[in-house]
Amino acid sequence: MKLIYFDNAATSHYKPRVVKKTFINFLNNSANAGRSGHSLSIKNSIIIWKTREKIAKYFGNIQPENVIFTKNCTESLNLVIQGLVKLEKEVKHIICSCFEHNSVLRPLKELEKENKIRLDIISPKNNEYITVQDVQAAIKKETFLVIVNSISNVTGNINDYKNIGKLCKQKKILYLLDNAQGVGHIKVDMKKDNINFLTFSGHKGFLTPQGIGALCINSEIIPCPIIFGGTGTESDNMLQPTFPPESFESGTQSTPLIASLYSGVEYVEKNFFKHNKKVIYLTKYLYNKLNGIKNIKIYTKNLTCGVISFNINNYDSVQISEYLDKNFNIATRGGLHCAPLSHNFYGTIKSGMVRISLSFKNTKKEINRLILALEKLEYNKKIE
């Protein structure tokens, strides 16, 4: 039975040929970029810089040196959060939403436990997404950072990130956007949208292999580094360089992954509107089909990002995902999606949610197979 992959919000299954070709090319021509003066090392350094330029342009023409490569979005988020707090001599106030991933919640709670920050976690008054009014109500005199995600990894609902950016600029508050789920689905311009820090991973919306992410900076305030080591520059200095990107990129970079990110960004740019048109069409088709299933509860309101999360009757979401995988070779995501406060908000902390996350490579035929499988589940009233 052919695999049906509906877990693209966790990681993209399809990797474009150009991404794989670029990765293999630089894997076969490996050298340590920025550490040697021979031609192969220089070639690797050039593609790394070109990738910075590509990403900088994609997110609103920020400075290329302010594109920092990391291994994933989690590392990028930690770099911003912990690095900014290291700058502050006094305890400051941070606002984040209940829809944040543990890669935001855990570093914040750790800093709160150490009495280095005061933290407010806000919930939406409209029961769907975080609005600018939700953030406005939580701002205090000592607030210095607001953190929200562009798109919830649990439900696919889009937060009001543009107006939140305007508010933060007016209030002179730093603004961090977790764009892990937004890449490939929404266009973000860091300058126009007043975003100081943006994080993402390549393996989701940019269709790269796992293991590469980035932090993009649009701010005169630069976080302190949190990892120290060799940078290939100022090697006679025992202290870490103070300028980006070197200050944040200690150790050997993965040129094959960074090069594949260049190709992934280029591929997404070229096909953005065509692919999103199909994803939106499939998402609406899936939503209408799911609504026909008895005893289903759908939590997703936004139908533009390929994500729909639901529960059926009293089944545990992990049970349903395992049932679909074992009996129909359909890959979905059950459980808490590393975002426990989101499930507290929706009342699903015990059951979790079943998340379907579509790609432009999915088809109506695959969705129909999913619906038949779920109808059989409800008909049988139990999971074998």
Side-chain angles (χ1 to χ4, degrees):
M1 192 181 300
K2 185 181 178 181
L3 170 69
I4 296 176
Y5 190 84
F6 286 146
D7 196 20
N8 291 281
T11 193
S12 57
H13 183 63
Y14 172 73
K15 308 298 180 185
R17 183 179 300 175
V18 65
V19 170
K20 293 187 282 190
K21 183 179 178 180
T22 304
F23 178 81
I24 292 171
N25 177 41
F26 278 90
L27 192 64
N28 290 334
N29 291 278
S30 293
N32 203 331
R35 300 300 194 272
S36 304
H38 56 75
S39 58
L40 197 55
S41 174
I42 293 171
K43 179 182 177 182
N44 279 253
S45 297
I46 289 171
I47 189 61
I48 289 176
W49 182 256
K50 284 185 175 180
T51 306
R52 290 192 211 280
E53 290 180 324
K54 172 70 74 175
I55 293 168
K57 184 178 180 181
Y58 186 88
F59 288 114
N61 288 307
I62 64 170
Q63 294 299 312
E65 61 269 25
N66 286 340
V67 175
I68 314 301
F69 292 118
T70 61
K71 67 176 181 290
N72 50 40
C73 196
T74 297
E75 184 178 324
S76 299
L77 288 163
N78 272 266
L79 197 163
V80 181
I81 294 167
Q82 297 190 54
L84 286 176
V85 171
K86 284 182 70 174
L87 290 173
E88 299 299 321
K89 295 180 180 180
E90 299 178 357
V91 175
K92 294 287 187 175
H93 179 240
I94 296 178
I95 298 168
C96 78
S97 86
C98 67
F99 296 145
E100 302 311 306
H101 191 275
N102 274 336
S103 51
V104 169
L105 296 175
R106 284 178 173 172
L108 288 177
K109 295 302 287 187
E110 191 69 24
L111 290 167
E112 184 184 45
K113 185 178 74 173
E114 296 170 359
N115 295 317
K116 292 180 179 179
I117 64 167
R118 290 178 58 204
L119 177 64
D120 272 330
I121 302 175
I122 60 175
S123 300
K125 297 294 188 294
N126 64 12
N127 292 326
E128 292 183 23
Y129 58 89
I130 300 297
T131 66
V132 66
Q133 290 81 13
D134 296 324
V135 175
Q136 172 80 68
I139 290 176
K140 295 178 170 58
K141 184 179 179 180
E142 64 272 24
T143 302
F144 91 111
L145 178 64
V146 170
I147 309 171
V148 297
N149 53 43
S150 55
I151 299 176
S152 166
N153 73 304
V154 177
T155 63
N157 292 331
I158 302 177
N159 291 314
D160 189 14
Y161 67 92
K162 292 188 177 184
N163 284 322
I164 293 170
K166 290 179 183 177
L167 174 66
C168 289
K169 184 178 181 180
Q170 291 169 2
K171 298 290 186 178
K172 297 182 180 180
I173 296 169
L174 294 173
Y175 180 32
L176 165 58
L177 186 74
D178 176 359
N179 199 39
Q181 298 298 332
V183 166
H185 296 291
I186 58 174
K187 289 280 191 179
V188 177
D189 186 310
M190 293 183 69
K191 290 184 177 179
K192 290 181 180 178
D193 299 335
N194 303 297
I195 297 164
N196 299 116
F197 308 98
L198 179 146
T199 62
F200 69 89
S201 288
H203 69 98
K204 297 185 181 186
F206 283 139
L207 312 174
T208 71
Q210 296 158 344
I212 186 65
L215 161 64
C216 301
I217 300 174
N218 175 40
S219 171
E220 293 181 0
I221 298 174
I222 305 295
C224 293
I226 60 173
I227 297 174
F228 303 86
T231 59
T233 57
E234 297 189 5
S235 295
D236 59 337
N237 188 353
M238 297 291 286
L239 296 175
Q240 191 79 356
T242 58
F243 50 87
E246 285 89 346
S247 55
F248 301 110
E249 293 182 350
S250 296
T252 299
Q253 294 284 62
S254 174
T255 307
L257 286 172
I258 293 171
S260 74
L261 181 56
Y262 179 97
S263 294
V265 174
E266 194 166 62
Y267 180 84
V268 168
E269 281 181 312
K270 182 179 178 181
N271 297 285
F272 185 87
F273 294 105
K274 178 177 70 174
H275 288 169
N276 272 284
K277 183 178 180 181
K278 184 177 180 183
V279 167
I280 293 168
Y281 172 77
L282 290 175
T283 308
K284 291 178 179 178
Y285 182 81
L286 171 61
Y287 181 83
N288 291 331
K289 287 288 186 179
L290 286 171
N291 262 325
I293 295 176
K294 189 178 179 182
N295 295 320
I296 193 167
K297 182 172 183 180
I298 299 175
Y299 301 93
T300 300
K301 303 297 183 183
N302 172 65
L303 302 180
T304 64
C305 300
V307 171
I308 294 183
S309 294
F310 63 90
N311 281 319
I312 297 177
N313 212 343
N314 295 316
Y315 291 117
D316 182 89
S317 62
V318 173
Q319 282 184 303
I320 295 176
S321 285
E322 289 176 349
Y323 159 82
L324 292 170
D325 179 44
K326 179 181 176 182
N327 296 285
F328 301 94
N329 203 22
I330 299 174
T332 64
R333 173 75 185 270
L336 301 183
H337 311 87
C338 300
L341 297 186
S342 187
H343 289 278
N344 277 336
F345 179 79
Y346 287 105
T348 57
I349 193 67
K350 292 183 178 180
S351 65
M353 294 183 195
V354 182
R355 184 184 68 192
I356 309 297
S357 47
L358 303 171
S359 160
F360 57 89
K361 283 291 183 179
N362 289 125
T363 64
K364 287 172 62 176
K365 185 177 180 180
E366 291 177 329
I367 291 172
N368 291 337
R369 270 185 59 188
L370 169 70
I371 298 303
L372 285 173
L374 293 174
E375 287 174 342
K376 287 182 179 180
L377 167 71
E378 185 59 14
Y379 177 77
N380 292 330
K381 295 298 182 183
K382 67 177 182 177
I383 296 175
E384 299 295 340

